[in-house]
Amino acid sequence: MNPVLLRSSLNFFGRHPWQLFLAILGIALGVAVAVSIALVKSSAEESFAHSTQTIVGKTTHRLVGGPDGIDESFYTKLRVEYGLRNIAPIVSGYVKATVGEHGETLILLGTDPFAEGDFREYSKLKEEQADNNVSVLTRLLSEANTAILDQKTAERFSLLKGGSLKVLSGGQQKSINILTSFDSESGDSIYNLENLLLSDISTAQEILSMPGRLSHIDVLLEERSPFDEHDLRKLLPGEIELLNAASQNASLKQMTSAFHTNLTALSLLALLVGMFLIFNTMTFLVVQRRTLIGKLRALGASRTQIFFMISFEAFIIGTIATLLGLILGIQLAQSLLMIVGRTINELYYFLPDTSLALNAGILIKGSLLGVFATVIAAIPPALEAAGVHPSQAMQRSALESNARTLSARASLGGLCCLIASLVLIQLSGSSIAQGFTAIFIIIIGFALLTPMLTLLSMTLLKPLLGKLLGINGRQACDSVSSSLSRTTAAIAALMISVATVIGIGLMVNNFRFSVNHWLESMLRADLYVSVAGPTSSASNNTLDITSLQQIKQLDSVHEVSTVRRIQIEATTGRTDLLVYGLNKRAYEGFDFKEKAADDIWQAFEQL
Amino acid sequence: MTLPIIEFQGLSKTYIEAGRSHLVFNQVDTIIKQGEFTVLVGKSGSGKSTLLNLISGIDCADKGVIKIKDQSLSGMNENQRTLFRRKNIGFVFQNYNLIPTLSIMDNLLLPLELTGQINEASIERAHDLLDKLSVKDRSNYFPDKLSGGEQQRIAIARALIHEPEIILADEPTGNLDEETGQNVLSLLDELVREAGLTMVMVTHSRDVIGLADRVLTIRDCKLVELDSFE
Ligand SMILES: Nc1ncnc2c1ncn2[C@@H]1O[C@H](COP(=O)(O)OP(=O)(O)O)[C@@H](O)[C@H]1O
Ligand SMILES: [Mg+2]
């Protein structure tokens, strides 16, 4: 770029540091929002996949039983009688753990360390020495109610050096002795998972009140295994199913797909807002300097020189802002991920690892978005500035008379956009990408309508303001309409920002409203008593039947409904089975898709 | 023998504004010779600035031919006219048109900087001009720190820096008080004559009209010669 034009740009921003700051901030925010949401999305997905993978390990198949699991004698039978070596018993479930005031839901994973070798990565467990030179492994196996915790969770519980942890499962509180905590260096190590309480089989059975039962049996079927899938299936008693890992993953994915859809929608919205911010920032920077550019043109600066001056500015601002935006975006993603992680954790499944994965692809895409969008956004105003006639640029009225004819054309374009978007919405069905394209077109449409709407509202406002404020009021209206080229860019930017805020607000509210509605119709009772675990997960645990009797006998309790929720795993996927003992008032909480409710309830009572 | 440097042949110019067309020049033929100092007078809105813009190639004629140094501007595209203007014409505007975001030195050297022709000699020439116009100590200031008279003197130096053959001045003293204006004008006249340049100036200053070789005015969309006494 020409050095004297470069100096002119530098001095312009030197004299208007706030403008430069706002430009950089605008672009940086755009990049940050887009990048952070994308990062959160990919981190959540990756961590989800990774933790699933770590828990599953090399498992190729899984043997599952009914809701009560599998009798452990079947495991012994498989190993001893059928000589199946690559199998590992698992007892797992959710427990509510507390130390003092601090409480969290943890996943308790009971394994047989000797069988585990082939499945999951336990690198350090064997070498680690406890206090008195007895290996942790030995203590874990030989002492009752012992477990280990991952380091991050241990830190939260202040149990880094071990100690006693109270766990609540199936309404019964027990005490567990934490031997030590493990840090996770190897990425694949099972200790890399958070909220994980690791014990041997018998401790897990004791805590989860599943004496003699296993949650499932992990199976590794290889070429050299004595059985293939088909043979193994023939050995299984009726209530035991053999599932392969692929179908398990698919059902996990299905479970979290709604969440991922939400994140995708959010990231597209963020991208949209980001692009619009950038475009407005650049337009404003150019429009503001039209007189200056006109002078340069009159003094012999060529169109190409002006064009390169603006583009170069955009490139530099875009680059700085993008760097800032990336840093900001990573920060933002870090805090967002905590929230998202907690939500996934509570609603869907265990999300043990909420560390941010700095996906290089996203960072590169974010950089390209920042730099390219800025440069591309600067092209129309740069072209316009370069194309300005030197004599015209020195008198803004020329531009404004231009702006008025342009505003008529823009409105026409805006109307076309609105119609096109309406058509697209009709056609889009449930496609998110098409829905967002439509929204994007709507935004552009309204932005294009802004100049006309501004003129119109000023014409309408002028008599009113004139009456209220006299000459000042009329002049204010006139100056807004007479400098359309500046005012409409600002008005459009403001309009879109406000619309975005309202839109997001509505979205959240709408979501809240439907949740609220759902809660009100579903949840009829005043109090709920449940076992520990994530809201949507079925549990093998049941409440103690004696405590149910006690609750019923309380004077203040009018009616009780009971529900048992179990998950049935089958080759076709997961099914939730809910078993109800309902009182009449609870009937109102059900909406049936087909048939009259009365008929259904009659049939239900006759079951 | 003096050669023609600016030639109009059958020049017409019409503006269209708000749907109405407005004729400014109709079939104008004129020759301005090298080294001549021409003053252009006339009432506001008669087309004086338009004429200067046509000579500098900022504006385009609708009909007819404008020849500068035997080159026809009509045959050039926008970019060629910009380059031509940059090389051959120095412009002094009523509102100075200094670039607020450039230092006085940069403003002065702008015509050279834009073409990348800056060298030791031109910088020396810049200092020389600033010295002659007695604004030497202002070279690192920005325009907004200077008085109107000082700004116009910088603009004059800028019009001369790239040694153009033609100087166009559009009411250069219109924004200055009388004494400062006289001062600036005599400096301009002196510098232009010294270098033997051709100058076309729009002004109403009687003293300047006295200095001019020719006085032209615009009447009924034509250029008309005035006697200096008129
Ligand atoms: N860019 C333009 N567009 C439309 N009309 C113009 C333009 N520039 C000048 N005019 C019109 O041409 C006429 C001559 O203007 P100008 O040359 O500026 O007059 P002056 O003699 O005061 O310098 C005026 O009526 C003016 O309104
Ligand atoms: Mg004029």
Side-chain angles (χ1 to χ4, degrees):
Chain A
M1 197 175 93
N2 192 295
V4 76
L5 292 181
L6 181 63
R7 282 201 291 281
S8 169
S9 293
L10 281 178
N11 287 331
F12 172 77
F13 289 116
R15 283 161 167 243
H16 301 93
W18 279 103
Q19 195 131 21
L20 179 65
F21 172 76
L22 287 178
I24 289 181
L25 190 69
I27 297 166
L29 282 180
V31 173
V33 171
V35 163
S36 65
I37 298 289
L39 276 180
V40 166
K41 180 170 182 279
S42 85
S43 291
E45 281 169 1
E46 199 167 290
S47 132
F48 192 78
H50 181 249
S51 49
T52 314
Q53 189 52 45
T54 312
I55 290 238
V56 171
K58 295 205 190 85
T59 310
T60 59
H61 291 76
R62 176 168 279 189
L63 287 170
V64 297
D68 286 341
I70 303 172
D71 197 304
E72 64 185 358
S73 63
F74 183 67
Y75 171 74
T76 322
K77 192 170 170 188
L78 280 178
R79 208 169 245 283
V80 178
E81 263 179 49
Y82 302 141
L84 202 58
R85 290 289 164 214
N86 284 334
I87 52 175
I90 303 282
V91 176
S92 69
Y94 295 99
V95 294
K96 169 101 186 184
T98 43
V99 168
E101 294 283 284
H102 185 76
E104 280 181 43
T105 300
L106 303 180
I107 193 167
L108 171 61
L109 189 67
T111 61
D112 173 1
F114 297 112
E116 277 291 300
D118 291 328
F119 287 90
R120 280 160 279 262
E121 186 63 41
Y122 286 88
S123 46
K124 276 187 156 180
L125 188 55
K126 284 169 191 142
E127 300 118 50
E128 191 80 12
Q129 300 289 302
D131 335 320
N132 42 2
N133 270 6
V134 184
S135 86
V136 171
L137 185 60
T138 316
R139 289 190 62 191
L140 197 61
L141 289 173
S142 60
E143 294 175 27
N145 283 345
T146 48
I148 51 179
L149 256 184
D150 72 89
Q151 201 174 42
K152 284 187 195 149
T153 313
E155 213 172 298
R156 293 199 295 272
F157 278 107
S158 318
L159 283 174
L160 278 174
K161 299 235 151 60
S164 176
L165 182 71
K166 284 201 165 58
V167 293
L168 184 69
S169 168
Q172 292 184 338
Q173 193 161 52
K174 286 160 191 166
S175 184
I176 220 169
N177 187 16
I178 302 299
L179 296 177
T180 183
S181 62
F182 278 90
D183 58 350
S184 43
E185 275 160 15
S186 142
D188 296 330
S189 166
I190 190 115
Y191 313 120
N192 219 1
L193 305 177
E194 250 180 84
N195 291 20
L196 181 73
L197 190 59
L198 195 66
S199 74
D200 66 354
I201 294 284
S202 62
T203 300
Q205 285 173 335
E206 160 77 20
I207 301 287
L208 298 171
S209 314
M210 303 170 59
R213 310 296 295 183
L214 300 174
S215 301
H216 52 256
I217 299 170
D218 281 354
V219 182
L220 178 62
L221 287 182
E222 294 172 317
E223 292 284 293
R224 57 192 170 86
S225 305
F227 301 99
D228 62 12
E229 199 174 325
H230 185 71
D231 297 335
L232 184 55
R233 217 162 246 142
K234 275 194 267 180
L235 299 177
L236 301 176
E239 78 275 10
I240 295 178
E241 273 280 8
L242 181 69
L243 307 176
N244 65 34
S247 73
Q248 286 239 303
N249 279 341
S251 69
L252 270 182
K253 276 220 179 82
Q254 194 189 337
M255 202 164 70
T256 53
S257 73
F259 198 79
H260 289 166
T261 307
N262 277 340
L263 277 180
T264 307
L266 202 59
S267 70
L268 279 171
L269 190 68
L271 189 71
L272 204 78
V273 173
M275 272 167 42
F276 201 82
L277 272 175
I278 292 173
F279 182 77
N280 264 293
T281 307
M282 285 320 294
T283 308
F284 201 76
L285 275 186
V286 175
V287 167
Q288 213 220 1
R289 265 184 298 170
R290 285 186 61 108
T291 317
L292 184 85
I293 291 168
K295 285 181 183 178
L296 286 170
R297 290 277 290 125
L299 292 167
S302 69
R303 287 185 175 183
T304 327
Q305 282 174 322
I306 297 293
F307 180 77
F308 275 113
M309 177 178 94
I310 301 292
S311 308
F312 188 72
E313 271 178 18
F315 177 73
I316 296 295
I317 291 178
T319 308
I320 296 172
T322 299
L323 281 178
L324 205 71
L326 290 182
I327 296 171
L328 224 69
I330 292 171
Q331 296 290 324
L332 193 60
Q334 227 127 30
S335 27
L336 277 179
L337 192 61
M338 303 267 282
I339 301 169
V340 170
R342 219 171 290 144
T343 313
I344 295 181
N345 197 347
E346 280 165 11
L347 283 178
Y348 296 101
Y349 187 69
F350 219 67
L351 182 78
D353 176 18
T354 46
S355 63
L356 191 65
L358 289 180
N359 183 318
I362 290 175
L363 293 181
I364 291 171
K365 270 189 220 158
S367 313
L368 291 182
L369 165 76
V371 178
F372 275 98
T374 309
V375 172
I376 288 171
I379 283 179
L383 273 179
E384 210 258 352
V388 161
H389 217 263
S391 65
Q392 270 184 2
M394 286 182 283
Q395 47 194 121
R396 196 150 48 85
S397 68
L399 166 67
E400 299 310 340
S401 67
N402 220 354
R404 274 162 195 258
T405 44
L406 272 181
S407 80
R409 276 186 229 162
S411 315
L412 203 68
L415 280 179
C416 291
C417 284
L418 292 186
I419 293 169
S421 62
L422 285 180
V423 172
L424 192 59
I425 287 175
Q426 286 300 316
L427 296 179
S428 67
S430 59
S431 152
I432 294 184
Q434 279 179 36
F436 269 86
T437 314
I439 291 181
F440 192 63
I441 300 176
I442 289 183
I443 291 181
I444 292 175
F446 273 109
L448 285 174
L449 279 175
T450 313
M452 198 47 110
L453 292 177
T454 308
L455 278 178
L456 209 71
S457 54
M458 283 306 132
T459 317
L460 293 177
L461 264 181
K462 199 173 155 186
L464 185 73
L465 280 187
K467 237 176 227 149
L468 286 177
L469 303 168
I471 183 113
N472 283 340
R474 281 199 299 276
Q475 211 191 346
C477 293
D478 280 340
S479 72
V480 169
S481 354
S482 67
S483 49
L484 270 188
S485 61
R486 291 183 199 200
T487 46
T488 49
I491 291 174
L494 197 63
M495 185 176 78
I496 304 297
S497 319
V498 172
T500 310
V501 172
I502 294 177
I504 291 178
L506 275 180
M507 214 160 90
V508 171
N509 249 346
N510 202 17
F511 183 67
R512 271 228 203 109
F513 178 78
S514 29
V515 169
N516 226 10
H517 178 75
W518 178 72
L519 287 180
E520 271 171 18
S521 61
M522 259 317 261
L523 306 181
R524 295 270 150 180
D526 298 316
L527 276 177
Y528 291 84
V529 181
S530 112
V531 294
T535 344
S536 74
S537 89
S539 176
N540 290 338
N541 295 338
T542 50
L543 284 171
D544 193 354
I545 205 87
T546 53
S547 51
L548 177 64
Q549 296 305 336
Q550 285 168 349
I551 290 170
K552 275 184 175 164
Q553 276 159 16
L554 289 175
D555 276 346
S556 49
V557 174
H558 283 284
E559 272 174 309
V560 175
S561 285
T562 52
V563 57
R564 171 91 204 266
R565 180 175 174 176
I566 47 183
Q567 255 167 9
I568 299 172
E569 305 230 29
T571 40
T572 49
R574 254 176 228 210
T575 312
D576 276 345
L577 175 65
L578 290 102
V579 181
Y580 287 105
L582 292 171
N583 65 56
K584 294 270 185 202
R585 276 172 64 186
Y587 286 4
E588 292 162 25
F590 291 82
D591 277 331
F592 295 104
K593 284 188 167 175
E594 288 170 35
K595 300 225 167 107
D598 287 345
D599 300 347
I600 294 175
W601 287 122
Q602 223 164 20
F604 180 74
E605 277 160 18
Q606 281 164 12
L607 282 179
Chain B
M1 195 190 92
T2 46
L3 299 167
I5 189 164
I6 304 170
E7 269 186 86
F8 294 163
Q9 296 164 8
L11 176 98
S12 293
K13 176 74 189 172
T14 307
Y15 279 120
I16 295 176
E17 201 171 20
R20 274 171 301 174
S21 71
H22 174 78
L23 186 65
V24 184
F25 291 114
N26 186 19
Q27 296 286 339
V28 173
D29 299 285
T30 300
I31 290 178
I32 291 173
K33 298 207 196 89
Q34 209 160 38
E36 248 178 10
F37 177 12
T38 306
V39 164
L40 190 58
V41 297
K43 31 182 213 297
S44 168
S46 60
K48 305 181 296 294
S49 301
T50 305
L51 190 80
L52 296 192
N53 284 344
L54 287 169
I55 297 173
S56 67
I58 284 178
D59 246 334
C60 270
D62 305 327
K63 260 191 275 169
V65 176
I66 305 171
K67 274 193 191 163
I68 312 285
K69 292 169 67 186
D70 274 333
Q71 289 180 53
S72 169
L73 285 184
S74 333
M76 296 183 190
N77 66 22
E78 158 69 31
N79 195 39
Q80 287 168 325
R81 275 185 282 126
T82 302
L83 298 183
F84 188 83
R85 171 164 78 244
R86 196 150 83 178
K87 184 165 179 288
N88 296 298
I89 291 174
F91 222 121
V92 184
F93 303 87
Q94 176 174 357
N95 57 357
Y96 328 129
N97 270 1
L98 294 185
I99 306 296
T101 52
L102 288 176
S103 71
I104 293 306
M105 199 43 150
D106 271 335
N107 259 289
L108 182 49
L109 293 172
L110 186 65
L112 295 173
E113 299 247 28
L114 286 175
T115 46
Q117 287 170 342
I118 199 104
N119 56 32
E120 287 294 315
S122 52
I123 292 174
E124 205 166 297
R125 187 174 148 75
H127 281 295
D128 212 37
L129 275 168
L130 289 178
D131 200 13
K132 273 188 192 154
L133 292 160
S134 30
V135 277
K136 196 177 174 60
D137 53 334
R138 299 285 194 267
S139 63
N140 287 323
Y141 285 44
F142 280 87
D144 55 0
K145 293 279 181 297
L146 269 58
S147 73
E150 286 172 321
Q151 290 194 41
Q152 193 60 302
R153 274 180 274 167
I154 303 299
I156 288 170
R158 182 181 60 190
L160 294 166
I161 189 76
H162 52 306
E163 304 182 289
E165 292 184 43
I166 300 170
I167 303 291
L168 302 175
D170 194 349
E171 306 193 35
T173 58
N175 286 354
L176 300 176
D177 63 75
E178 192 163 332
E179 196 187 323
T180 317
Q182 285 313 322
N183 191 343
V184 166
L185 282 178
S186 53
L187 272 170
L188 180 58
D189 183 51
E190 191 186 313
L191 287 169
V192 167
R193 288 198 187 273
E194 196 177 284
L197 308 180
T198 311
M199 175 153 71
V200 181
M201 185 190 290
V202 175
T203 187
H204 295 286
S205 160
R206 300 225 153 254
D207 298 314
V208 178
I209 295 173
L211 293 172
D213 299 321
R214 290 171 78 188
V215 181
L216 297 175
T217 191
I218 301 161
R219 212 171 273 156
D220 301 328
C221 305
K222 299 265 193 216
L223 272 183
V224 183
E225 196 107 16
L226 288 183
D227 265 337
S228 320
F229 313 104
E230 227 180 282

